[in-house]
Amino acid sequence: MSKGSPGPTPGFLVWRLANKWRVAVDRAVAPLGLTHAQYSLVASLYGMQRAGERPSQRRLADHTGMEALYVSKLARALESAGLIDRTRDPRDPRAVQLALTGQGRAVTRQAIGVVHDLLQQLLEPLGGLDAPRTRAFTDELTTLLDAPLAPPVPNDESTQGTSP
């Protein structure tokens, strides 16, 4: 919280909500052998595959907002669990393409159902998943996520004493 603020800052609330959501999803998908991060990866991959795409790890990292190295680590774990296949991209030997296995599709469909029910519960105070308040909330979150952040200004002698 900031000085002079009558309550929590928006940043603090977003952080708390994100943590609440992550913990809830972790618990909900644990019986399926997934973590929240793994769920985010396989659910995104599921949607991309349904749209006819076989994304690279880089493309999936960009889509999910996760670091490429983290996506690689998750993909290896999911491959070991038999949920995804990782293959070299024939057009770019440096790139690795990802695809859900049959088992991966089945587990992902189950997980999507579980998380959908959880999302309905989380959004009930706004009227539920299809409510106007939820659509407005989603639009506001999208606006914030789409806004670029300025790169940090290096702390060197040329910038000391100047104000933005």
Side-chain angles (χ1 to χ4, degrees):
M1 295 196 303
S2 68
K3 291 182 181 180
S5 176
T9 65
F12 179 75
L13 293 173
V14 167
W15 178 74
R16 288 279 317 272
L17 183 59
N19 280 320
K20 178 180 179 177
W21 180 248
R22 184 192 49 77
V23 168
V25 174
D26 270 337
R27 289 179 181 153
V29 298
L32 299 171
L34 296 172
T35 65
H36 182 245
Q38 290 172 330
Y39 166 76
S40 296
L41 195 99
V42 296
S44 294
L45 185 55
Y46 183 82
M48 295 168 103
Q49 278 187 228
R50 287 184 54 135
E53 192 175 344
R54 184 168 179 153
S56 66
Q57 286 183 171
R58 163 55 58 196
R59 169 82 176 94
L60 196 55
D62 291 344
H63 177 80
T64 61
M66 293 183 208
E67 293 291 328
L69 193 58
Y70 189 47
V71 168
S72 177
K73 178 183 172 185
L74 291 172
R76 289 178 198 279
L78 291 164
E79 181 182 41
S80 293
L83 300 180
I84 67 169
D85 285 325
R86 298 171 65 247
T87 56
R88 290 278 171 212
D89 185 333
R91 296 163 301 192
D92 181 356
R94 298 168 298 160
V96 175
Q97 288 181 317
L98 303 175
L100 290 167
T101 64
Q103 178 187 357
R105 281 189 300 279
V107 168
T108 301
R109 279 192 296 270
Q110 282 183 280
I112 288 171
V114 167
V115 172
H116 182 272
D117 292 345
L118 184 61
L119 187 58
Q120 181 66 33
Q121 181 184 348
L122 176 74
L123 294 170
E124 198 57 44
L126 298 181
L129 195 53
D130 298 319
R133 285 182 67 196
T134 299
R135 284 191 295 278
F137 178 62
T138 301
D139 290 345
E140 297 291 354
L141 291 172
T142 300
T143 297
L144 293 173
L145 286 170
D146 288 346
L149 292 176
V153 177
N155 189 11
D156 64 23
E157 291 178 20
S158 66
T159 60
Q160 288 181 351
T162 61
S163 60

